[in-house]
Amino acid sequence: MQEGGQQKSTRASQEAKPAKVPLDTLDSTPPNAEIDDPFKHLPEHEKEILKRQLDLPAVKVNYMTLYRYATRNDKIILVIAGLAAIIGGALLPLMTVLFGGLAGTFQGFTLGNTSPRQFTSELARYSLYFVYLAIGEFVMVYIATVGFLYAGEHISSKIREQFLVAILRQNIAFFDELGAGEITTRITADTNLVQEGLSEKVGLTLTAIATFVAAFVISFIRYWKLTLILSSTVVAIVVTLGAVGSFIGKLSKTYIAHFAEGGTVAEEVISSIRNATAFHTQEKLARQYDTYLIKAEKAGFKLKSTTSSMIGFLFL
């Protein structure tokens, strides 16, 4: 009986063993994509929503896209501030014209070509011109600065609000690739850069362009030969700004990215400070945070040194 039972169990175990299949007949093709699809159990409309949330396309944003959150009042303020910045920039070259006329008046009085009474009258006239020019310049620059700062602050606050709304609307899997403090760092750092680009940078750019054009017009009218000789410096300035500008942009992105990563570490450590204290990992976490600060410091040093070198080269 025992031998018969053992034979039956041996036969059953042999039948239970799978048949050996030659290796060359095995199918090495990968499984179907539909089998590995994590959304296969969902309806089509829900599947499309999740894929649209997780697959983020590359969006190209130009400079004018930043003004899409501007209201009608913001646009009116921007137009008024832009006109004031242009007028303020065009008034600056007039100071050199007045200064040249004043220097000529002093020269004429020194050489004896001008009487004391006439010299006093010319001196009072040029002094009034300087006062009027200073008042006009102050008013135009004040209007441009206040207008651009107000509009830039209002638009950047709208951008922060819409950014937070878009973040809260994302799927939970979107936050798996982001750190705890990266979102807050992006909201503060990136929107501050946007605010600078929408406010003071625009005013300074319009003022500089107006000054450049007005100075060229006045120079060609006063003495065109000397102006034509000095125009060669414009080519050097444009080439320098074009060559170094893109490099400065890359360094600025790297600088902000390192700060965002460091902010993520700090946010996670502070949120779980009890665990860090219990396991005595303060020094290790501090060194980890310090590595990101060192990287940001190096990128910031390269950024500042490159910018200062460019400015120094322009003043040569």
Side-chain angles (χ1 to χ4, degrees):
M1 293 294 292
Q2 293 179 355
E3 293 179 355
Q6 291 177 357
Q7 291 178 357
K8 290 181 179 180
S9 61
T10 305
R11 291 177 182 176
S13 61
Q14 290 178 355
E15 291 176 357
K17 291 181 180 181
K20 295 182 179 181
V21 182
L23 294 176
D24 55 354
T25 60
L26 292 176
D27 189 8
S28 60
T29 58
N32 193 1
E34 296 181 357
I35 299 177
D36 295 337
D37 189 5
F39 307 132
K40 62 180 180 179
H41 62 283
L42 297 175
E44 288 295 329
H45 66 283
E46 294 183 3
K47 187 187 298 185
E48 291 297 328
I49 292 174
L50 290 176
K51 287 184 178 181
R52 188 166 60 248
Q53 289 179 349
L54 297 178
D55 298 336
L56 299 178
V59 180
K60 294 183 179 180
V61 179
N62 54 17
Y63 181 75
M64 298 306 297
T65 311
L66 299 177
Y67 291 96
R68 61 182 175 179
Y69 298 110
T71 60
R72 185 178 65 179
N73 293 332
D74 293 336
K75 293 178 181 179
I76 293 173
I77 292 174
L78 287 173
V79 170
I80 296 174
L83 292 176
I86 293 173
I87 295 173
L91 290 177
L92 285 177
L94 295 178
M95 185 181 64
T96 58
V97 177
L98 295 178
F99 186 79
L102 184 62
T105 302
F106 276 99
Q107 183 181 6
F109 179 74
T110 304
L111 296 176
N113 298 328
T114 304
S115 61
R117 184 176 181 180
Q118 187 178 1
F119 171 74
T120 305
S121 177
E122 290 291 327
L123 188 62
R125 184 167 65 88
Y126 278 110
S127 299
L128 286 177
Y129 286 160
F130 274 111
V131 172
Y132 296 154
L133 182 63
I135 294 174
E137 182 70 20
F138 175 78
V139 172
M140 293 297 106
V141 172
Y142 180 81
I143 293 174
T145 303
V146 172
F148 279 117
L149 285 177
Y150 173 80
E153 179 66 29
H154 189 260
I155 295 173
S156 62
S157 64
K158 289 288 185 181
I159 292 175
R160 290 189 184 98
E161 180 181 353
Q162 295 298 324
F163 181 77
L164 183 60
V165 170
I167 288 295
L168 296 177
R169 196 170 55 241
Q170 299 301 318
N171 189 273
I172 193 62
F174 174 79
F175 299 94
D176 293 338
E177 299 179 357
L178 298 177
E182 186 173 355
I183 296 176
T184 56
T185 305
R186 292 293 183 181
I187 291 177
T188 54
D190 292 352
T191 52
N192 286 337
L193 291 177
V194 171
Q195 182 180 352
E196 290 181 3
L198 293 176
S199 55
E200 55 182 349
K201 301 297 183 183
V202 180
L204 292 175
T205 302
L206 292 176
T207 302
I209 293 174
T211 303
F212 178 79
V213 175
F216 258 80
V217 172
I218 294 173
S219 301
F220 273 106
I221 292 175
R222 303 287 292 183
Y223 198 77
W224 66 271
K225 293 182 179 180
L226 181 61
T227 305
L228 195 62
I229 294 172
L230 295 176
S231 298
S232 59
T233 59
V234 179
V235 180
I237 293 173
V238 172
V239 171
T240 303
L241 293 177
V244 185
S246 59
F247 185 64
I248 291 177
K250 294 179 180 178
L251 289 177
S252 179
K253 291 180 180 179
T254 306
Y255 177 72
I256 295 174
H258 289 319
F259 263 119
E261 294 174 353
T264 300
V265 175
E267 185 74 19
E268 291 178 350
V269 171
I270 293 173
S271 62
S272 59
I273 188 64
R274 294 181 179 179
N275 296 330
T277 305
F279 292 100
H280 300 286
T281 57
Q282 297 95 326
E283 296 183 358
K284 181 180 179 181
L285 295 173
R287 288 194 299 269
Q288 184 179 0
Y289 180 66
D290 193 45
T291 54
Y292 293 110
L293 292 182
I294 293 173
K295 293 179 181 179
E297 182 183 3
K298 291 180 180 179
F301 179 77
K302 292 180 181 179
L303 175 62
K304 302 302 180 182
S305 60
T306 305
T307 305
S308 59
S309 300
M310 181 187 67
I311 296 175
F313 180 78
L314 294 177
F315 282 95
L316 287 178

